[in-house]
Amino acid sequence: MEQTNVETKKLGFTKGIALTLLIAIAAKYLAELPFLHIMGQLVIAILIGVVWKSLIGVPAYAIAGTNYSSKVLLRVGIILLGMRLNLKDIFNAGPKTFAVGAISLVFAILVVYGMTRIFKVEKKLGILTACGTGICGAAAILAISSQIKAKERDTAIAVATVAVLGTTFTFGYTILYPLLELSDQGYGIFSGATLHEIAHVIAAAAPGGNEAVDLAVVVKLTRVALLIPVAILIGFIMNWKDRSTVTGKKFSWKSIQIPWFIFGFLLMSAIYSTGVPEPLADKLVMLSYILMAMAMAGLGLNIDLVTFRKYGGKPFLAGLIGSILLTCLGYVLVQAFHLN
């Protein structure tokens, strides 16, 4: 009898992982369609998960598998994503370009988080929304979520919020492009410094041509690279506050949650920067997105639409205000650093 229960759990675990894989693959192909490519595979995966949960439901025996995807496979996916970041490109872009990306990141995180505090959004949800806006969308939210031990509900809401904002602003940028009076180079830097997901950056920069897209991606990857120090800093701050104000215990350096998987991301970036063949790097990045999409699917399968309606309004408003201000700042920085 006990052996039967063990086998049933294993089967359920496998089915849960298989379900997230199915959703991730479906999201990959849907993301290749004309409109949906702006949203990207990760966002589509979480939306499918939410709809599946609402219409079909998730068997209790499969939850262990979906949770495995949303936690363990997530870390592997983020590590492999490092194969997309060439540290040489960031160095070659120059200090001004790096400064634009870094200033935009810090500004976005502080402003969006500040707005969430004004709107009395739960602290961890506010942090996730701010980091998703300031760094690199869903991937940053997933990484920071693990660092601060956020609820799956908060992670999913933050992902959905940033996805909608990013998609909306991408369309807005393509309309504004001829009105901004920026060079292709300036427009690319502007897009990379202010938009949310890499998919958003590429889509928005496209009207400026290949040079705009290339620079947009470099600036965006500058923000991605800064995920590492931001994650460590946030982990440090959250740990210090939790121990000092909640438990009353003194702060201990040993108690800091070290995001080892993010260092794995940096290691992959370093390896890629030494000259990994592009076909191999592309395949590893594709695998990375499949694994992260499985993680997103796992999150979506644990969230219902009622939760989004109840908790999503205020984070969205905070992200909207922050994104508008970030757009204005990005334009000013491009002008101030004479990158226009």
Side-chain angles (χ1 to χ4, degrees):
M1 184 68 177
E2 184 177 345
Q3 183 177 358
T4 302
N5 290 335
V6 171
E7 291 177 352
T8 301
K9 288 181 179 179
K10 287 183 178 179
L11 181 60
F13 179 79
T14 303
K15 286 184 176 180
I17 294 177
L19 176 57
T20 62
L21 176 60
L22 174 65
I23 292 174
I25 293 173
K28 178 182 183 301
Y29 286 105
L30 286 172
E32 295 175 1
L33 298 176
F35 171 76
L36 296 179
H37 80 278
I38 297 176
M39 298 177 66
Q41 179 183 359
L42 302 186
V43 174
I44 294 173
I46 195 171
L47 293 178
I48 294 175
V50 171
V51 173
W52 188 295
K53 165 80 171 181
S54 299
L55 299 181
I56 301 174
V58 183
Y61 60 77
I63 292 178
T66 60
N67 286 343
Y68 183 85
S69 290
S70 65
K71 293 179 173 64
V72 178
L73 297 185
L74 161 66
R75 289 169 171 78
V76 179
I78 291 176
I79 289 172
L80 293 179
L81 186 62
M83 278 289 166
R84 188 164 193 169
L85 176 61
N86 192 323
L87 301 175
K88 292 180 182 177
D89 289 341
I90 296 175
F91 178 80
N92 292 334
K96 288 185 178 180
T97 302
F98 179 85
V100 170
I103 293 171
S104 298
L105 180 149
V106 173
F107 177 85
I109 291 177
L110 292 178
V111 170
V112 174
Y113 181 68
M115 295 305 302
T116 62
R117 301 312 297 155
I118 291 174
F119 296 145
K120 298 182 179 179
V121 175
E122 187 175 313
K123 182 180 294 185
K124 291 183 179 180
L125 175 54
I127 291 173
L128 295 179
T129 305
C131 289
T133 304
I135 307 174
C136 55
I141 291 169
L142 292 172
I144 300 295
S145 173
S146 174
Q147 181 72 347
I148 65 175
K149 298 180 180 179
K151 299 175 183 176
E152 290 187 348
R153 178 201 73 194
D154 293 344
T155 303
I157 291 171
V159 168
T161 296
V162 173
V164 173
L165 287 172
T167 302
T168 303
F169 275 71
T170 297
F171 284 115
Y173 277 30
T174 59
I175 296 172
L176 286 174
Y177 169 65
L179 305 176
L180 294 174
E181 297 183 351
L182 294 174
S183 65
D184 292 343
Q185 172 185 324
Y187 179 67
I189 294 172
F190 166 72
S191 300
T194 56
L195 283 171
H196 308 67
E197 296 271 4
I198 291 179
H200 297 148
V201 167
I202 294 173
N210 292 335
E211 182 182 7
V213 171
D214 290 344
L215 273 170
V217 171
V218 169
V219 177
K220 182 62 180 176
L221 291 179
T222 297
R223 294 161 67 193
V224 174
L226 292 173
L227 170 63
I228 299 168
V230 170
I232 295 173
L233 178 61
I234 289 176
F236 171 85
I237 293 173
M238 291 295 290
N239 180 274
W240 177 73
K241 286 187 174 180
D242 287 346
R243 291 182 66 85
S244 61
T245 62
V246 178
T247 65
K249 297 179 181 178
K250 292 182 179 180
F251 172 76
S252 171
W253 285 97
K254 294 181 180 180
S255 63
I256 297 178
Q257 297 290 322
I258 302 296
W260 296 112
F261 64 95
I262 296 183
F263 286 101
F265 167 87
L266 181 60
L267 176 61
M268 287 295 103
S269 299
I271 293 173
Y272 175 56
S273 302
T274 62
V276 173
E278 284 299 326
L280 174 59
D282 289 343
K283 289 180 180 177
L284 290 175
V285 170
M286 183 183 299
L287 176 60
S288 165
Y289 271 88
I290 286 290
L291 293 173
M292 288 195 295
M294 291 174 68
M296 296 292 246
L299 286 174
L301 290 168
N302 284 312
I303 301 295
D304 57 52
L305 292 175
V306 174
T307 301
F308 280 107
R309 288 196 294 267
K310 184 176 181 180
Y311 296 99
K314 291 180 179 179
F316 180 84
L317 183 58
L320 175 61
I321 295 172
S323 296
I324 292 172
L325 294 176
L326 176 60
T327 297
C328 297
L329 174 70
Y331 186 78
V332 170
L333 289 175
V334 169
Q335 300 284 348
F337 283 103
H338 304 292
L339 296 170
N340 55 325

